[in-house]
Amino acid sequence: MPSLKNQPELTSTPEYAALQKHYASIEGTHLRELFGADATRGEKFTAEGAGLFLDFSKNRITSETLGLLVKLAEARGLRDAIEAMFSGEKINLTEGRAVLHTALRAARDSSVVVDGKNVVPDVHEVLDRMNAFADSVRSGAFTGHTGKKIKTLVNIGIGGSDLGPLMAYEALKHYSDRGVRVRYVSNVDATDFAENTWDLELEETLFIVCSKTFTTLETLANAELAKKLIVDRFGTVDAVAKHFVAVSTNAEAVGAFGIDTKNMFGFWDWVGGRYSVESAIGLSLVIAIGPAGFADFLAGFRAMDEHFKSAPFEKNLPVLLGLLGVWYNNFFGAQSHAVLPYDQYLRRFAAYLQQLDMESNGKRVTRAGAPVAYETGPIIWGEPGTNGQHAFYQLIHQGTKLIPCDFIGFSQSLNPLETGGAAMHDLLMANYFAQTEALAFGKTDAEVRAEGTKEDLVQHRVFEGNRPTNSLLIEKLTPHALGALVALYEHKVFVQGIVWDLNSFDQWGVELGKVLAKKITPELSGAKKSLGHDSSTNALIARYRKQRGLD
Ligand code: F6P
């Protein structure tokens, strides 16, 4: 296999050249032609794994395209790269770390060795502690300072220490103990803290401070506010032990903050923040849905891991999604990718994927540090259907940009209500099916005219079609299905990172803004200082200070 450190330049490989040539021959082909030429297309281009069904027939591909994409993946050493990740090789080269979120869901009796040590027993030791703690909170055995049962959890964290548990809590709310609600505070904008805490019954509140590094400004600032609330309310720092737990890899910083490390749940530097929802970072979720629900969630990840490791690339869900993304990103020039869940419980799914995908593959140099000569990670965005249909779908249908979409739907509703004799869920899913059909096939000039449309409106009412979509159809939104879905996207991002020769596991791009903010903070208060920024930044700071009444 080409070494992970020493990949040949992507666009100069014969596999890439073959795809370029093929693209020129297929670019003008319409999905109407592809479906017209093969009545079995809707069955042929499908795959199934870990309980998820994928129909990828409404993509601008042929069997030849698929074959060429798979060849590219093979030439990039994907099979060995998967093995390298799962076996704990230090593939996060810039940080010298293994990438082992998959060990977080490994079966208790399995073995994953990092630096000569099997890490699976450690994973399960933390998991057991999380489960025992969750049970004690849920049962009321664990109480606040005054002996009251905990009824509200406030998760304080940002990025991966917020988006994962928040998305999963929202997604699995149906399975949650409604006697314990969870709130998520992330932003350093005090509004987030204020609006989430003004009505709290502090005797019944537990703060979970989540931070991998325990150095993140936003999280520490919010945690300080929370600590003050508790100490002021109960008049003693002793109350902190009954109202705070921490989740971190940094025991020293947790202790320095004033949280007893007995009340800390750990994880490891080989878990990236955006890959950490199934680590102790998911503590709020374990408490909300219970240990059995969380075990089912992890089993879903594990099932997708197995599928990813073993399914042939042509039938491998993460490989297919990854390669189709490469096809549009690098050959069709698509700039973005929409994720459209037809399930209100998945309303934060796109936000979660934004970090997972864009922080992983928003990179401009290869693993060896050379600037890339091709497009890397797309802009990920989306909203649940049908809301999005009444907002931005217009552009997807008739705009000038090509936006490949993933539609995610479930056959069974968790809230099977009826309205006017119709199942609400059928109304929802009819829209899911209708949209992918409309995007693929559109409405021709002739069809519009045949409807008797006035001449001056004909072009406005034509739908070009040929807009590619993936359809994920899942039986029911369960913890297992959500785990499999998240793992699907984790591995999709991995596949693309391998093809593009990126380190998907660092995030140096977030540093510069943090450093500059630290420098600017003291300039925003106190006596006037001479500002050494550019003229725009200087003027903005001056105006800000003036409007704050400082100068
Ligand atoms: O600044 C980006 C980032 O490092 C993310 O990668 C991470 O998920 C987030 O900040 C929060 O980091 P931590 O969990 O260490 O507080």
Side-chain angles (χ1 to χ4, degrees), residues 419-494:
T419 182
M424 293 276 280
H425 196 61
D426 290 345
L427 301 181
L428 172 72
M429 289 305 288
N431 276 278
Y432 165 113
F433 298 123
Q435 288 296 328
T436 63
E437 192 177 5
L439 286 165
F441 304 108
K443 196 175 198 182
T444 62
D445 196 289
E447 284 165 342
V448 174
R449 281 175 207 281
E451 286 174 349
T453 306
K454 288 213 308 259
E455 187 55 36
D456 57 346
L457 280 183
V458 170
Q459 286 316 311
H460 295 276
R461 304 193 68 158
V462 166
F463 286 69
E464 214 183 5
N466 220 11
R467 268 67 170 162
T469 58
N470 290 311
S471 301
L472 278 161
L473 188 59
I474 305 162
E475 191 173 333
K476 190 173 167 183
L477 177 55
T478 59
H480 190 283
L482 183 71
L485 194 60
V486 172
L488 166 62
Y489 280 95
E490 285 178 350
H491 296 325
K492 169 203 166 170
V493 167
F494 178 79

Side-chain angles (χ1 to χ4, degrees), residues 191-224:
T191 299
D192 201 9
F193 187 86
E195 286 295 342
N196 275 299
T197 55
W198 69 272
D199 59 344
L200 285 181
E201 183 44 76
L202 291 174
E203 286 177 282
E204 300 171 347
T205 299
L206 177 70
F207 291 96
I208 304 176
V209 186
C210 283
S211 174
K212 178 178 170 181
T213 55
F214 228 80
T215 58
T216 305
L217 171 94
E218 291 87 341
T219 302
L220 293 186
N222 280 314
E224 281 295 349

Side-chain angles (χ1 to χ4, degrees), residues 339-401:
V339 179
L340 309 166
Y342 276 63
D343 194 302
Q344 191 64 15
Y345 283 122
L346 291 182
R347 66 172 171 270
R348 296 298 287 160
F349 194 62
Y352 168 77
L353 287 188
Q354 282 179 329
Q355 187 196 10
L356 178 65
D357 201 317
M358 293 161 81
E359 206 175 61
S360 296
N361 286 342
K363 309 278 163 73
R364 55 170 283 281
V365 296
T366 64
R367 274 188 288 263
V372 296
Y374 45 86
E375 292 290 329
T376 61
I379 300 153
I380 302 292
W381 59 288
E383 279 289 325
T386 60
N387 293 12
Q389 291 174 206
H390 297 272
F392 54 78
Y393 277 37
Q394 164 67 38
L395 185 147
I396 306 181
H397 280 287
Q398 286 189 317
T400 54
K401 294 175 176 59

Side-chain angles (χ1 to χ4, degrees), residues 68-79:
L68 291 171
L69 285 168
V70 165
K71 276 206 179 106
L72 177 69
E74 276 160 359
R76 303 304 274 171
L78 179 61
R79 186 61 74 195

Side-chain angles (χ1 to χ4, degrees), residues 39-51:
T40 66
R41 186 179 169 89
E43 285 114 60
K44 197 191 275 171
F45 291 111
T46 62
E48 216 164 344

Side-chain angles (χ1 to χ4, degrees), residues 157-163 210-220 247-249 267 272-276 281 355 359 506-507 510-511 514:
I158 198 164
S161 298
D162 167 70
L163 287 164
C210 283
S211 174
K212 178 178 170 181
T213 55
F214 228 80
T215 58
T216 305
L217 171 94
E218 291 87 341
T219 302
L220 293 186
V247 179
S248 185
T249 58
F267 60 114
R274 52 193 176 273
Y275 298 88
S276 66
I281 291 291
Q355 187 196 10
E359 206 175 61
D506 59 12
Q507 56 284 320
V510 302
E511 296 303 327
K514 288 185 192 175

